[in-house]
Amino acid sequence: FDDIAVSPHPTQVPHPPIWVAGNSRQALRRAVELGDGWDPFLMKPAQVKENLPYARELLEASGRTDPFEIIVSLGTRLRVPTAPTLVTKASPQSLTGGSAMENAMADWGSTAASVDSLLERLEAFREAGATAISLDFDFRELPEFLEALQWFTEEIIPRTP
């Protein structure tokens, strides 16, 4: 990698956080060994909570004392509400993973949700031990993305603990 350059350089020292994704114990082990956090890809809150004792065991055995993040994805694509609903499932065609991905997405239930159900899902993940949430906004152009960020900042964040 001697001929590879990154510019601008990251501001984090010594490097940006490295989050390792995966929904298996092996992925969690790799996250503890190699990363700064774990993204339990497409796990439900109860599954995240079930894995936390194993994560703590691995962290203790490794002697790590630095912060370790649990970053969860909602498994949905958010968009600014223009109707009574605001959340849609990610299209399996827009993701990789085949039938396993489709089955995981189907587990989330309906194709749309209210602001209240979004807040309930965020709270369930917080209670399960998540320290960060990875969001996927549904947009086609930069102005749509900026509108979605502003909406999320003004309407959702103030309603979370």
Side-chain angles (χ1 to χ4, degrees), residues 52-130:
L52 287 184
Y54 183 60
R56 288 186 196 102
E57 178 183 313
L58 291 171
L59 288 163
E60 186 175 311
S62 73
R64 286 183 62 164
T65 58
D66 55 321
F68 186 78
E69 299 285 335
I70 307 294
I71 309 94
V72 296
S73 171
L74 297 180
T76 57
R77 300 186 81 186
L78 302 175
R79 63 180 148 177
V80 175
T82 56
T85 60
L86 66 104
V87 181
T88 60
K89 286 194 291 188
S91 163
Q93 293 82 11
S94 70
L95 303 168
T96 59
S99 62
M101 175 67 74
E102 292 171 14
N103 292 338
M105 297 309 292
D107 283 346
W108 282 108
S110 68
T111 58
S114 67
V115 170
D116 288 339
S117 63
L118 170 62
L119 291 166
E120 288 170 10
R121 189 177 293 176
L122 290 169
E123 179 60 17
F125 275 118
R126 188 190 68 74
E127 288 177 359

Side-chain angles (χ1 to χ4, degrees), residues 35-57:
D36 302 303
W38 175 52
D39 176 354
F41 188 66
L42 292 179
M43 280 190 173
K44 292 182 178 181
Q47 294 168 305
V48 173
K49 189 173 186 173
E50 288 170 10
N51 280 280
L52 287 184
Y54 183 60
R56 288 186 196 102
E57 178 183 313

